[in-house]
Structure formats: structure tokens, C-alpha cells
Amino acid sequence: MHGLTEHRGTGVASSSHPAAAFLPCRFARLQLRRRRCSQKQAPGVAQLAQVQTETVLASTLPGPGAGQSRRLLRSATNRRPPDEEPALPLYTCLDGDILTPANKFAYYEALRSGLKALGALGINGISVDVYWGIVEGVRPGQYDWSSYKQLLALIRDEGFMAQVCLCFHASEAVPLPAWVVEAGRADPDIYYTDRAGVRCTDYVSLGADEVPVLSGRTPLECYRDLMVSFRRELGPLLGSTIADVLIGLGPDGELKYPAHPRDKRWNFPGVGEFQCYDRYLLASLRACAQQVNQPSWGLRGPHDAGTYCVWPHQTGFFHQRGNWCSPYGKFFLQWYGDMLLQHADAVLGIAREALLTGYDSDGSLSYNQYGSGNRVVDDGGGDGAGGGAGESSSNWAGSDSDVEADGGGPAAAAPASDGYGSGGGDAAPYMSAAAPPHIRLHAKLPSLHWWYGTASHAPELTAGYFNTATRDGYLPVMQVLARHGVSVRLRGGELRSQEMHSQAFCDPERQLAQQRTVAAAVGVGVGLENLTERFDEGALSRLEAALFDTSVHQGIELPQVQSLVFNRMCDSMFEPGNWARFKDFMRRVRNRADTLVVPCRGHGGGGGRLSANVQEAAGVTSRSLALQ
């Protein structure tokens, strides 16, 4: 791993473009917070060991007492309370096509049979993708949780815990909500855009985060309102069956730009393309360039970065001594990465407010019940980590619709009463209790391991991670997660470097070690997920080794991984040979996990709050960006 240093940018000037009123000010606030925390000297890798020992691993939020936690249990078949979880919870992802875009089950009885088989293997929980395009698919502010209630009731009744992944992106099976798609037709710039003007319609551009482009609401407000509805409608299961919630932060639910699309524009091992050509992001870039008295830097992205499928040495920007390390390159890459960080900071701040704070009886957020420790505090002025979107209740927040099952799909098979009560919005009895639920928040990072052995790490740069041979780009990301008490889910635990493309300098094992080392240094808990649906013994053995790897990297001892999410329950899993190998893998992991003694992980998040001296030492230790 490289020295954990971070460059610091400058402020932002005003711009005449309408979007400048929203975007550059967010970038400036992020830089202001960094200046207030920065030191004259950036710590070397050796200092991270001291950082690790000083990290406070306590939960950031007070939770309900044991008695209240047990009152949330609505069925004798609920999983044990979170404080009795196994040392290494094992989850399996469901296939993304369990529910159709019409909010119906694609196959209910087959799912029930598959869950029974997984239960016999000792699987502890099921990971469920909850898509924005299904829940709020028809009209803005009208939420339909009926099928997800049935799905989670089935998971509960089969004796599993559930990890819910709130997906604000589109997938191959589920598009974005119809009204968001309509807004995109009226204003295509709400989508990420590449240099050729091609739009990525899988996720709303972070450039529009604070612009009211979605039926009068900003995207951040839409994310918040869905989270509030989620807590209201599924409250009885939060803290009991649902102990973990993953917050989607970008395409595929990962914190990234869509630099490597699945369509024909890109193929492995291409470097990908920068996604900064919508008018909102260009307005921010232009304003930042004006602030540093280099207006020509704000006209567009790098002209010599090539196209999706080129290799680094074929470009002027990414080759070993290319423009990525020039003053212009450093300016652009810092701006590009910091906008991604600001997006994560805002969405996670909203998630904490919506999911981990108390509510008053009228359904509004309550901060006074537990003091200021529950509120996301802006440590550098401005309007808070949530970007202001979570400060007041939206007009949409109380407009949930109580949509009943219409008899289609599994209505005959699923139990009529699932223990949720009426689900009627404000009438939910759970809302009268101000206590926040006992849940942990998570975020997912991508695995961008090709060209990792080169100087520029081009795929990471185009995806928004300013991580190179001379600069650690994961430290600022982990700091944002630590500030919000959020665990990280890392992908690619089953990949072996020696099996990868020999000419593309792939090194997934070293990249995973870097990510885990930085997470350990700032006290962020780590969960692992396999990247591919592989059931061969080589992949399973490598995944097992990664799960129990507590070796020392750069003076940092890696803590025990907190969980495994096996990706995923699919048809090939149940083929005789694959099932036998997976069964043996689960037996080995279960036996080794039973011997672990892991400290309590808490339930307010993953990493815990850093003490003041740790924030000073490893919070943001930056150096000014040299622009001359």
C-alpha cells in the first residue's frame, strides 16, 4: 500500500450558470472541512499503526435497551437479537429478478425451496435488493412495499436475518422509476454523460444532487423520502430480522461513476471514460477552474484520456508519465474524486438522519430525544453532511400509499398476515416510539483491479478514485464512512491475481489488502462479497482465506472480517457438483467461524466514531495541490 496522503484543493468561485448555485458550494464546504482538520505534515504509513490503536470502536449512536429490542420481535421465528449474532454472519444474495418491475414475484415457491436448502447449510441471513424503481415506480411520493413485505416475512419465517440493500440505481431487470425516466427525457443532463454525449440512465448524476429536477424534488430529497418510508413501513422488522442496511451510492449500488458500462461501449481490460459531461458537473468544474485562475481547465475533461476500451499506454493521460500527474491532471482528478466523496457524505448523512435518529409521534425527525450525538454534525460549517436535504420534512414524506396485494403472484401462497399491521403510513404504531432501531449501515465499493500494477491505476481514476502509485485514494473514502459510522463491503474476495489477465497488470489481492488496511487504520468495519458466481474449489478456497486473513500490512493488523455476503443464489448454485463444493465450503467456514472471538460490533454503524486526536492524525492529513 502506498503512503496514505491526500491532496487538498482550493475554494470555488461563483459562476453565472444556474447549477453553480448548488454544486460548487458543496465542493467548497468539503474543502473547508479538510482545511480545518489538516496538518502541516502528512503521516507516513508507519503512523497508521498508532492511528489504529487509538481508534475508538464504540457505536456512534445510543440504541434501544434489550427490552425494547425484544419488543420489536414480531414472530417466534425471528432471528436472534443482534447482540446474539454469530461471530461471522454468512449471507447469500437473492437473484435480482425475484420481483418484477410490476412489483410481483417472479417465482415464489422456488424461492421458498431454495431458502430451506440454504438454511440447512447454516446460512445466517439473506441479502435483499430493494429497488427504487419498484417501490416508488409509478408516481413520485407513492410507495408500494407490499411485495417486499411478503418477501421479508418469508425470510423471517424461514429463520433468517435479512440485509436490505437500498438500490437507487437501475439494473438489467429493473429500470429507474417511470417518473424519473420521464424527467430524464425532459432534461437528459440529469444522467451521467461521457465525452461523446452518451447518457448512462442507470443512476441520476451526482451533479444534480441538490437541483430540484425530479418533480420538484432534488435527488437527495427523493433518497431521503424513500428511506423515511422504508423505516415507517418496515419498522417492526428493523433491529430484529433486519439488522443491516446497505445504502446504495451509485451504479450497481457501489460508490463510483459508471466509467465501465456493461453495454458494447466498454470491454475488459479497457480503462473506461470519465463521466463528467452533464451540464451540472461541467458547471461545477468550470467554477472550480475559475477559482484557481485556470479557466481553460474547466471547459471539459481530459482531451487525451482515450476511449473506453484503450489501454493506459495508448493514451496521453494514463501512461506512466502521462498528464494524470501534471498540475492540470491533479486538479481534475481531485475535483472528480471529491465530487464523489461529497455525494457519499450527503447520502450517508441523510441515511443516518432517516434511519438512525428518533421520530416524534407526528413522524418528523427528532434530534432532542438523544441529544446532538444522533444528528449528523457538519464539522466545517455549511449545511451539514446531508447537504441540507435532511433538515426538514418534505411534502412527499407523509404521502405513502397503502397498496395491497392484488391477488397476483404469490398472494395465494404467501400468508395474508405478515405481522406488519395495516402499513398505513402515519398510522403505523411504531412511529409513536422515538427510539431509533438497532441496525448497522453499510456502503459498497467496487473492485477495480486491472491495471493496478501500473503507475496511474487508470480504471480507478475514471471511476472516481484518485488512487495511484504515489497517492492513496481510499483514505478519504474510508474517512467519510468512519465519520458516519458506516461499514464497508468490499468485493472480489475470491479473485486470485495469478489467474487474471497477464498483460493487464491485474492485482485484486493487493488492491483488497490496500482497502482493508486503510479501513483498519480508521476503524471502519469490513464485510466481503465475491465478485463472480464461481463455485470451483480455487475460488472458494481463496474466498475462505480472505475471510480469515488477519495478517499485518504496512504495520497495520487486519481485523477479522465482519461478514460474508455470497453473491448469489442462482440456478448454477444448485447443480450437483457446485452444490457439493459450496456445501463443503460452508462447513469449513462455519467450523472456523465458531472458534472466533470477535468484539461487539455495535449497531449504529460499522466503524464507530474516531476520537479527536485520531481525527487530527488520520482524519484528513492533506497537502496543498501544487498548481504551478
Side-chain angles (χ1 to χ4, degrees):
M1 195 185 71
H2 320 301
L4 300 182
T5 60
E6 178 186 355
H7 297 283
R8 185 183 69 204
T10 55
V12 182
S14 61
S15 170
S16 59
H17 196 285
F22 300 94
L23 298 171
C25 62
R26 293 168 46 220
F27 182 78
R29 288 199 303 272
L30 183 64
Q31 301 307 317
L32 179 60
R33 286 200 294 270
R34 291 182 175 183
R35 290 191 195 98
R36 292 184 177 182
C37 297
S38 62
Q39 289 180 320
K40 294 181 180 179
Q41 293 290 333
V45 174
Q47 290 179 265
L48 290 176
Q50 181 179 359
V51 171
Q52 182 189 37
T53 60
E54 294 175 345
T55 299
V56 179
L57 295 179
S59 173
T60 62
L61 296 174
Q68 182 179 9
S69 178
R70 282 160 176 77
R71 285 196 296 274
L72 292 176
L73 297 176
R74 302 300 297 268
S75 168
T77 56
N78 260 348
R79 297 298 298 180
R80 67 189 90 185
D83 57 352
E84 298 177 16
E85 283 182 348
L88 181 63
L90 303 176
Y91 287 86
T92 298
C93 292
L94 294 185
D95 247 344
D97 61 354
I98 291 294
L99 297 181
T100 68
N103 209 359
K104 306 295 180 185
F105 276 84
Y107 44 92
Y108 185 85
E109 289 301 332
L111 172 61
R112 186 198 297 271
S113 299
L115 291 179
K116 291 184 180 297
L118 291 176
L121 293 186
I123 296 288
N124 303 109
I126 303 298
S127 181
V128 178
D129 291 338
V130 173
Y131 282 97
W132 185 20
I134 292 179
V135 175
E136 198 184 0
V138 180
R139 297 181 185 88
Q142 193 172 75
Y143 304 95
D144 181 1
W145 296 96
S146 56
S147 293
Y148 283 113
K149 288 180 179 180
Q150 293 176 355
L151 175 58
L152 290 166
L154 173 62
I155 291 171
R156 174 199 63 195
D157 294 341
E158 292 298 328
F160 293 103
M161 299 182 296
Q163 180 177 100
V164 170
C165 306
L166 297 179
C167 301
F168 299 104
H169 64 277
S171 69
E172 294 180 358
V174 182
L176 290 177
W179 53 276
V180 174
V181 174
E182 186 63 30
R185 293 193 186 102
D187 181 7
D189 283 289
I190 71 170
Y191 297 127
Y192 288 117
T193 307
D194 65 18
R195 188 172 58 174
V198 179
R199 316 284 184 177
C200 172
T201 58
D202 290 347
Y203 194 81
V204 177
S205 169
L206 63 84
D209 270 354
E210 297 182 9
V211 186
V213 294
L214 300 179
S215 298
R217 287 185 296 171
T218 69
L220 291 180
E221 289 174 330
C222 292
Y223 305 152
R224 178 206 57 198
D225 293 347
L226 185 136
M227 291 184 220
V228 170
S229 178
F230 166 73
R231 178 172 171 179
R232 177 184 296 118
E233 295 293 324
L234 297 172
L237 293 185
L238 295 177
S240 53
T241 296
I242 302 173
D244 300 274
V245 178
L246 187 143
I247 308 299
L249 297 174
D252 302 319
E254 301 171 343
L255 180 61
K256 66 180 181 182
Y257 292 95
H260 311 96
R262 292 194 181 94
D263 56 34
K264 295 181 180 179
R265 287 177 292 165
W266 174 82
N267 58 56
F268 180 85
V271 299
E273 284 195 23
F274 294 110
Q275 306 289 311
C276 60
Y277 292 89
D278 63 82
R279 65 187 175 99
Y280 301 108
L281 280 175
L282 283 177
S284 173
L285 176 61
R286 183 161 52 251
C288 292
Q290 290 172 351
Q291 180 65 26
V292 297
N293 298 317
Q294 296 286 349
S296 64
W297 290 359
L299 299 178
R300 62 186 66 85
H303 72 280
D304 55 351
T307 55
Y308 285 101
C309 298
V310 301
W311 293 15
H313 66 274
Q314 297 172 322
T315 74
F317 192 81
F318 295 117
H319 71 73
Q320 185 171 1
R321 286 178 290 276
N323 285 328
W324 63 270
C325 57
S326 68
Y328 161 73
K330 292 177 181 179
F331 162 81
F332 174 81
L333 292 172
Q334 181 188 321
W335 167 82
Y336 190 66
D338 279 352
M339 292 300 289
L340 190 68
L341 286 178
Q342 183 67 28
H343 175 69
D345 195 32
V347 176
L348 293 177
I350 289 171
R352 283 189 58 184
E353 290 181 342
L355 301 177
L356 298 181
T357 57
Y359 276 96
D360 292 329
S361 59
D362 62 355
S364 62
L365 291 174
S366 171
Y367 300 107
N368 296 328
Q369 181 75 12
Y370 298 100
S372 61
N374 281 338
R375 187 167 184 170
V376 180
V377 179
D378 186 358
D379 55 1
D383 51 10
E391 294 296 333
S392 60
S393 178
S394 167
N395 293 333
W396 297 103
S399 58
D400 297 19
S401 62
D402 185 17
V403 182
E404 301 292 339
D406 61 359
S417 175
D418 56 11
Y420 291 92
S422 66
D426 295 334
Y430 133 86
M431 293 300 293
S432 63
H438 243 173
I439 57 175
R440 294 178 295 264
L441 300 184
H442 307 263
K444 182 159 58 174
L445 302 191
S447 175
L448 304 161
H449 53 269
W450 59 104
W451 304 114
Y452 187 83
T454 61
S456 65
H457 295 205
E460 291 174 297
L461 298 185
T462 56
Y465 291 84
F466 193 178
N467 188 59
T468 68
T470 57
R471 183 186 191 278
D472 192 293
Y474 291 101
L475 177 61
V477 176
M478 296 300 179
Q479 288 164 346
V480 170
L481 302 187
R483 183 160 62 246
H484 293 289
V486 174
S487 292
V488 65
R489 187 195 293 181
L490 302 177
R491 308 193 69 190
E494 84 285 10
L495 300 179
R496 294 176 181 269
S497 300
Q498 62 188 25
E499 297 175 347
M500 308 303 293
H501 196 294
S502 60
Q503 294 180 310
F505 293 89
C506 301
D507 202 341
E509 294 177 75
R510 193 156 63 97
Q511 183 188 58
L512 182 61
Q514 178 190 359
Q515 293 170 331
R516 288 191 61 187
T517 302
V518 178
V522 297
V524 171
V526 172
L528 287 186
E529 177 183 337
N530 52 314
L531 186 65
T532 55
E533 298 172 359
R534 289 179 55 182
F535 298 91
D536 57 281
E537 188 56 41
L540 294 176
S541 296
R542 165 60 189 156
L543 184 57
E544 179 185 355
L547 280 176
F548 298 100
D549 179 12
T550 55
S551 58
V552 177
H553 291 266
Q554 303 292 333
I556 301 292
E557 181 179 357
L558 302 184
Q560 174 61 48
V561 168
Q562 291 187 347
S563 64
L564 167 67
V565 178
F566 192 87
N567 186 19
R568 61 184 54 233
M569 190 180 82
C570 53
D571 292 341
S572 59
M573 173 184 283
F574 297 99
E575 295 175 2
N578 290 344
W579 182 255
R581 286 186 290 272
F582 183 63
K583 180 179 179 180
D584 186 57
F585 164 76
M586 288 302 306
R587 178 188 56 79
R588 299 194 310 266
V589 171
R590 186 80 283 145
N591 289 340
R592 294 181 66 174
D594 287 343
T595 66
L596 294 176
V597 178
V598 179
C600 176
R601 290 184 287 268
H603 306 292
R609 176 71 65 182
L610 296 182
S611 61
N613 60 327
V614 176
Q615 291 187 42
E616 184 180 3
V620 183
T621 52
S622 313
R623 288 181 295 183
S624 298
L625 176 63
L627 297 177
Q628 59 273 10

